[in-house]
Amino acid sequence: MHTERSTPSIWTALAVLSLFLLQAINAHTIIVYPGYRGNNLQTNGTVAEANGLGQAVVNDTSIFPYGMMWMYPCGGMPTSTNRTKWPVQGGAISVQPGWFQGHATAFFYFNLGLGATPPNMSHPMLPPFQIIGPSANPYPGTFCLPQVPLPANITVNVGDLATIQVVETAKHGAALYNCVDIEFAEPKDCVQVTPDNCFNSSDIQFANVYTANLTSAASITSTTLLSFTPLVAMSLWELLM
């Protein structure tokens, strides 16, 4: 069920304004709630200067010719010193997904890394799902998962440190990374979730991601491909059930 609002929230207004100001630098995903490590909406240098690398040091300056957010694990940003409190039994995550050219469709992954500086982000919090946006151009809008659980077989305590990683993959396979460093806390000690910081825009739809076993490349026929095409649109509420 999508939550439609009769008047734009402050988050939507800020998203529209930010899109207007940042289109020239190809902005990417933003974690609206509970927050994110910092401003990694930066693209500098050229591919030639970086010799084809996603990150390089030129004249003692780090350059990101494709943009910082392409860098694993957290879009080129180091671990935060100022952490966000997040509920010890799981909680909301809200994302603005359409800040990058070409994300009319995209897959999303939510992972957890444990510890003050996680060695990896290898604990999936949810199965991957697809979003269907209104345009291949940058667009405003937010989706919110109101109750993202902890990964299976993971137990944490109040005061434990971790990092939530949000990954958005474009239709050509490239991935955008964003993170928020958290401290697990009791819900009463966390920023309140409200309709202003956790809502689903009516022009963003959702679909399941399916897999199939194919015995060989010869098995992939036009009929087979057509059978994979229909995706069942669903709400985030249904996704969490």
Side-chain angles (χ1 to χ4, degrees):
M1 178 179 70
H2 298 299
T3 303
E4 297 188 9
R5 300 177 57 80
S6 58
T7 57
S9 72
I10 183 63
W11 295 103
T12 302
L14 288 173
V16 173
L17 176 61
S18 298
L19 281 169
F20 176 78
L21 294 175
L22 293 172
Q23 279 190 30
I25 59 172
N26 287 335
H28 308 298
T29 58
I30 295 292
I31 306 175
V32 176
Y33 184 95
Y36 69 138
R37 279 189 174 184
N39 179 17
N40 56 357
L41 308 177
Q42 301 179 43
T43 301
N44 63 330
T46 67
V47 174
E49 288 175 318
N51 195 28
L53 295 174
Q55 178 183 5
V57 177
V58 177
N59 297 326
D60 297 324
T61 299
S62 292
I63 63 171
F64 303 86
Y66 297 100
M68 290 181 68
M69 201 169 285
W70 301 102
M71 303 299 297
Y72 178 89
C74 293
M77 296 297 294
T79 306
S80 302
T81 56
N82 185 19
R83 290 180 176 267
T84 301
K85 292 187 176 181
W86 200 67
V88 70
Q89 62 271 76
I93 301 178
S94 180
V95 177
Q96 294 179 13
W99 289 57
F100 184 69
Q101 186 86 15
H103 284 160
T105 60
F107 291 154
F108 267 88
Y109 303 80
F110 289 76
N111 303 313
L112 188 70
L114 300 174
T117 304
N120 54 60
M121 308 292 175
S122 58
H123 302 288
M125 305 173 78
L126 288 171
F129 60 91
Q130 184 186 44
I131 66 161
I132 303 170
S135 170
N137 295 317
Y139 55 84
T142 298
F143 71 80
C144 183
L145 300 163
Q147 183 60 41
V148 177
L150 296 179
N153 303 317
I154 294 293
T155 301
V156 298
N157 300 306
V158 171
D160 286 352
L161 305 181
T163 297
I164 297 172
Q165 179 196 56
V166 176
V167 184
E168 180 179 9
T169 60
K171 62 183 180 181
H172 51 76
L176 299 170
Y177 300 95
N178 219 326
C179 292
V180 54
D181 297 305
I182 61 169
E183 176 184 347
F184 287 104
E186 295 294 346
K188 63 182 179 63
D189 296 323
C190 302
V191 174
Q192 183 180 3
V193 177
T194 71
D196 285 326
N197 61 24
C198 181
F199 66 92
N200 296 319
S201 299
S202 59
D203 58 354
I204 299 176
Q205 299 178 355
F206 305 88
N208 286 318
V209 177
Y210 295 97
T211 61
N213 292 322
L214 300 176
T215 57
S216 68
S219 300
I220 305 178
T221 64
S222 59
T223 302
T224 304
L225 292 174
L226 286 173
S227 69
F228 298 154
T229 301
L231 293 174
V232 180
M234 62 182 294
S235 72
L236 291 174
W237 301 100
E238 292 170 330
L239 181 67
L240 295 174
M241 293 180 63

